[in-house]
Amino acid sequence: MSEVVNINTTEQQPLLKAVDLKKHYQVEQGFRKPSATVKALDGVSFTLDAGKTLAIVGESGCGKSTLGRLLTMIETPTNGEIDFQGQDLLRMDKDTFKVLRQKIQIVFQNPYGSLNPRKKVGQILEEPLEINTKLTKAQRKEKSLAIMAKVGLKTEHYDRYPHMFSGGQRQRIAIARGLMLDPSVVVADEPVSALDVSVQAQVLNLMMDLQDELNLSYVFISHDLSVVEHIANDVIVMYLGRVVEHTTKEELFANPRHPYTQALLSSTPQLNPAHRRKRIKLVGELPSPLDPPKGCAFHARCQFANERCNVEQPTLVTYGKSLIACHAVEEQRI
Amino acid sequence: MSLLEIKNLSVTFSGFRAVDNISYSVDKGEILGIVGESGSGKSVSSMSIMGLIDHPGIVTADSLLYEGQDLLTMPEKRRRQLTGADISMIFQDAMTSLNPCFTVGYQIMETLKVHQGGSKSARKVRAIELLDLVGIPAPESRLNVYPHQLSGGMSQRVMIAMALACDPKLLIADEPTTALDVTIQAQIIDLLVDLQKKNNMGLILITHDLALVAEVADRVVVMYAGQIVETGIAEEVFKHPKHPYTQALLASSPESAIGKSRLAALPGVVPGAYDRPVGCLLNPRCPYAIDKCRTEEPGAHESPLGQVKCHTPLTIEGRPAA
């Protein structure tokens, strides 16, 4: 099997590439009513290079967690492909798939819910090794102690249960578990949103240190733009299952183009009065994905919306380094 | 006379002081922000104002004055008349704070019935008026919906409507927007501040989001492990923090680290019930701790603008004085 892992990668080839990923769910509406389709994710494409961080930003219900679940193959996409080192993960034989999916790991949002309370830290960390490798018990312990040291946990923590740890330490355990199989990509689904600000800083620093040390790539899912500004290289802003803006971090924060991105940035509270942007007041809420509006999903809340936005769904158009899906930007009204 | 004046409030749970001798006051028309990490006692202190601390919690205070009347010594009946009417509270998670078994209209009208009485039809008119006030579209039709039919933002608006039902003079908002998305948070905060201005209410805004407090509060109280470590004018505290903890909290927010490769993390965690250090509670985490900090609890240094509980308050340059 080891031959399969060592694939000849060319310099230009991205580590991870998603093409037109879609996830549609069939939802029962009730007795004798036809089932409806929820388009949780509707056509997301991106590439991610080794050692880089791609942030996925958006409000609850925009499909960012669904994207994370598709990338880690917890769920199967309805459509699209996921290329890892040039191989399509969705169309390959079972054995290769099993080896390759080890290279993409996930860290979940809530460290109080994602660690099994009946297992000790050592057992939690060694479980992936037990399932996926042929290491002996002693080797497994050695490896988990090594990873524990990397994430700043002590040797004596090996025999403790998750309830004996604080939130920040638990998130360290969850990160350690994600690293057990030496992944290349870690999907981090809101890894710091359950943590206090001083602990959040510790965990973010740890994630950045690990990235430097192990050349990890992160898909960093977050709703907090100030965190994203610190950790990301590229940013995707999502709204109701679709990408509205995909650009570099620098461009996004210096020059947000999509009206939704602008509104998100202006709604994020800032400590320093000099950083505060003019508040763009958004009316209403995210529309129901069961009954998405015609045209641009954002048009009902957008101050730049016109007739065309009400009927025609915008597609992503390239402007310099950015991809933006907006008629107003295209028509140069913004 | 302040609207609410708390002197040396402590809340003890089986020997552990969750809130440790805190004093602060709120004036009419003022927004007081209380910030701190989880476990710092900010929610427990506000629950004790509302009289919501259950057994085995013990609330003690020199005085807990609302408009000059002591909430702790007044008859229980009188206190129940005040809380919910003159003093009301918005809880953190609207989705779980509303009763799932009753309609939104019933729950709002219940508050009115208990505190103001009046005819059923008058209460209904008032409930519609309240839903309209908090920006819920088509309020007549919303009276008959159940909480599960509402989104998070809408549930929080219902909570606000309920809290405002009897025109409170003091509103305590405990993490009112933590469970909400940022665009909805902006809507709810704007709504709260508008209503606060319009009704000239005192508003206590409890949150862990420093930036939110920096944007809306007039004065701020910073709590750490059950104690108040710093109080002052919000703008001044955020610009020139005098307590090392306030400074560290501000520095660890990602916004303060723009352009730097790493965040300025404060090592360690808030002490819990069994690992409270001797002396200043921050000393194991404080970069400026001296020997005195490890043995002697600091008193509060008063200044005209606020106070700071530290042996070596920071100067305007952000360093200990000598």
Side-chain angles (χ1 to χ4, degrees):
Chain A
M1 251 190 273
S2 57
E3 303 85 49
V4 204
V5 184
N6 301 323
I7 314 150
N8 298 319
T9 47
T10 53
E11 281 296 309
Q12 297 81 16
Q13 196 172 52
L15 182 66
L16 185 70
K17 184 174 159 197
V19 184
D20 199 28
L21 277 182
K22 285 183 184 168
K23 182 70 194 177
H24 297 177
Y25 296 99
Q26 294 295 321
V27 190
E28 296 300 325
Q29 293 275 68
F31 183 58
R32 297 186 69 172
K33 282 182 190 159
S35 66
T37 308
V38 170
K39 296 181 176 176
L41 201 68
D42 202 20
V44 174
S45 308
F46 63 83
T47 61
L48 177 63
D49 291 327
K52 299 282 186 220
T53 301
L54 171 74
I56 317 281
V57 180
E59 296 180 283
S60 41
C62 75
K64 53 192 196 302
S65 291
T66 304
L67 179 61
R69 296 172 74 86
L70 293 186
L71 292 177
T72 43
M73 282 149 289
I74 295 172
E75 291 189 60
T76 327
T78 314
N79 177 49
E81 57 182 89
I82 303 170
D83 292 344
F84 180 74
Q85 296 177 330
Q87 288 183 296
D88 187 350
L89 288 172
L90 302 168
R91 290 164 195 81
M92 61 170 49
D93 62 278
K94 245 175 147 180
D95 291 338
T96 328
F97 177 70
K98 196 182 169 203
V99 176
L100 281 183
R101 79 178 288 191
Q102 294 174 17
K103 295 289 159 193
I104 306 174
Q105 293 289 335
I106 190 163
V107 175
F108 293 99
Q109 170 169 12
N110 185 351
Y112 293 85
S114 67
L115 301 176
N116 188 336
R118 303 180 66 156
K119 284 190 172 161
K120 292 176 181 171
V121 172
Q123 290 172 293
I124 290 172
L125 295 183
E126 284 172 26
E127 196 175 8
L129 295 177
E130 221 168 296
I131 296 168
N132 291 299
T133 68
K134 294 194 170 65
L135 296 180
T136 62
K137 204 173 173 192
Q139 285 171 319
R140 291 201 297 265
K141 181 163 183 180
E142 189 187 338
K143 171 121 200 200
S144 52
L145 287 175
I147 301 269
M148 279 169 72
K150 267 205 178 87
V151 300
L153 292 169
K154 293 180 192 140
T155 323
E156 65 254 34
H157 293 152
Y158 183 84
D159 281 317
R160 292 195 189 162
Y161 287 97
H163 75 264
M164 299 159 132
F165 293 92
S166 66
Q169 279 177 312
R170 285 182 209 217
Q171 202 56 296
R172 285 173 198 266
I173 300 170
I175 291 172
R177 176 175 61 184
L179 297 178
M180 287 312 289
L181 292 166
D182 304 314
S184 321
V185 178
V186 173
V187 177
D189 189 356
E190 304 258 14
V192 294
S193 58
L195 307 176
D196 276 319
V197 55
S198 72
V199 178
Q200 165 181 299
Q202 294 168 9
V203 172
L204 285 175
N205 283 348
L206 170 70
M207 288 185 70
M208 287 185 281
D209 289 342
L210 290 170
Q211 180 166 50
D212 290 351
E213 196 183 326
L214 307 170
N215 199 30
L216 289 174
S217 301
Y218 289 131
V219 176
F220 192 93
I221 299 169
S222 180
H223 68 278
D224 188 340
L225 280 164
S226 57
V227 170
V228 165
E229 183 167 16
H230 201 73
I231 199 167
N233 298 104
D234 287 341
V235 185
I236 286 179
V237 183
M238 289 182 61
Y239 192 78
L240 213 67
R242 297 177 69 95
V243 175
V244 296
E245 187 159 355
H246 181 174
T247 181
T248 62
K249 172 186 76 181
E250 290 76 17
E251 186 68 16
L252 186 93
F253 287 93
N255 185 18
R257 300 280 302 274
H258 195 281
Y260 179 62
T261 315
Q262 292 177 353
L264 264 188
L265 277 169
S266 80
S267 308
T268 307
Q270 298 284 332
L271 281 171
N272 187 337
H275 294 167
R276 282 173 204 157
R277 295 165 197 260
K278 194 168 170 287
R279 177 73 57 84
I280 300 166
K281 284 190 180 167
L282 279 190
V283 288
E285 300 180 15
L286 197 73
S288 161
L290 268 175
D291 180 25
K294 267 186 89 172
C296 175
F298 188 58
H299 81 254
R301 304 172 78 188
C302 178
Q303 53 176 333
F304 301 101
N306 65 6
E307 277 305 302
R308 190 175 165 209
C309 303
N310 300 351
V311 289
E312 190 186 327
Q313 197 166 50
T315 48
L316 284 169
V317 181
T318 312
Y319 304 90
K321 285 183 201 158
S322 312
L323 284 166
I324 297 159
C326 179
H327 294 313
V329 174
E330 194 186 320
E331 292 161 11
Q332 299 188 326
R333 287 187 283 121
I334 300 179
Chain B
M1 184 174 59
S2 302
L3 189 61
L4 179 79
E5 194 165 355
I6 299 172
K7 280 227 174 77
N8 295 330
L9 171 76
S10 294
V11 183
T12 316
F13 293 96
S14 0
F16 167 60
R17 280 196 164 183
V19 173
D20 192 3
N21 264 329
I22 66 168
S23 308
Y24 63 81
S25 65
V26 194
D27 286 331
K28 229 178 236 172
E30 183 184 47
I31 303 181
L32 176 76
I34 301 186
V35 290
E37 297 180 280
S38 41
S40 61
K42 38 190 207 309
S43 292
V44 174
S45 61
S46 59
M47 305 265 274
S48 62
I49 300 169
M50 295 295 288
L52 293 175
I53 301 290
D54 275 335
H55 180 81
I58 300 164
V59 181
T60 53
D62 289 354
S63 61
L64 203 63
L65 297 179
Y66 170 75
E67 288 191 322
Q69 317 161 58
D70 196 331
L71 290 171
L72 288 177
T73 53
M74 71 174 55
E76 191 63 14
K77 205 173 163 194
R78 170 80 188 122
R79 185 168 186 183
R80 297 249 343 219
Q81 283 169 357
L82 281 179
T83 52
D86 280 22
I87 312 173
S88 67
M89 183 158 174
I90 302 168
F91 297 93
Q92 175 165 6
D93 191 351
M95 302 285 238
T96 54
S97 303
L98 292 170
N99 190 332
C101 303
F102 296 97
T103 63
V104 161
Y106 177 88
Q107 295 185 55
I108 296 174
M109 285 186 268
E110 189 186 11
T111 316
L112 292 167
K113 189 177 168 187
V114 170
H115 289 288
Q116 293 182 336
S119 71
K120 199 172 175 184
S121 55
R123 291 202 293 268
K124 190 172 172 185
V125 171
R126 174 71 178 148
I128 293 171
E129 194 183 299
L130 283 163
L131 288 178
D132 190 40
L133 182 75
V134 295
I136 292 181
E140 298 87 356
S141 62
R142 295 301 175 112
L143 281 182
N144 295 319
V145 306
Y146 287 89
H148 75 268
Q149 294 169 289
L150 297 171
S151 65
M154 282 297 159
S155 312
Q156 197 56 280
R157 283 172 198 266
V158 170
M159 287 286 291
I160 295 174
M162 213 186 284
L164 293 174
C166 306
D167 294 316
K169 291 176 189 156
L170 175 67
L171 182 63
I172 303 172
D174 185 2
E175 306 259 11
T177 57
T178 306
L180 304 176
D181 282 316
V182 43
T183 59
I184 310 298
Q185 162 171 302
Q187 292 174 5
I188 297 287
I189 291 295
D190 284 349
L191 171 69
L192 273 178
V193 172
D194 282 350
L195 291 169
Q196 181 266 341
K197 293 251 162 8
K198 210 162 82 190
N199 300 353
N200 201 28
M201 283 187 294
L203 175 64
I204 301 180
L205 179 67
I206 299 168
T207 175
H208 67 278
D209 188 342
L210 295 161
L212 185 62
V213 168
E215 287 199 354
V216 301
D218 301 312
R219 276 191 313 125
V220 61
V221 167
V222 184
M223 290 190 69
Y224 181 75
Q227 300 181 337
I228 290 180
V229 293
E230 184 167 0
T231 64
I233 308 291
E235 210 176 308
E236 185 59 26
V237 170
F238 287 108
K239 217 189 215 165
H240 302 297
K242 292 198 180 61
H243 197 283
Y245 178 65
T246 319
Q247 187 189 46
L249 261 192
L250 291 171
S252 63
S253 80
E255 190 195 328
S256 311
I258 294 171
K260 293 178 199 148
S261 72
R262 292 292 182 270
L263 298 157
L266 182 66
V269 289
V270 182
Y274 306 107
D275 54 356
R276 277 165 96 83
V278 183
C280 172
L281 291 180
L282 187 68
N283 84 64
R285 305 177 76 187
C286 179
Y288 311 114
I290 52 175
D291 287 343
K292 196 175 169 192
C293 305
R294 295 185 190 97
T295 51
E296 195 181 313
E297 192 182 321
H301 288 260
E302 299 270 353
S303 76
L305 296 175
Q307 49 168 287
V308 51
K309 188 181 170 69
C310 181
H311 285 306
T312 57
L314 307 178
T315 60
I316 217 154
E317 286 89 38
R319 286 190 303 271

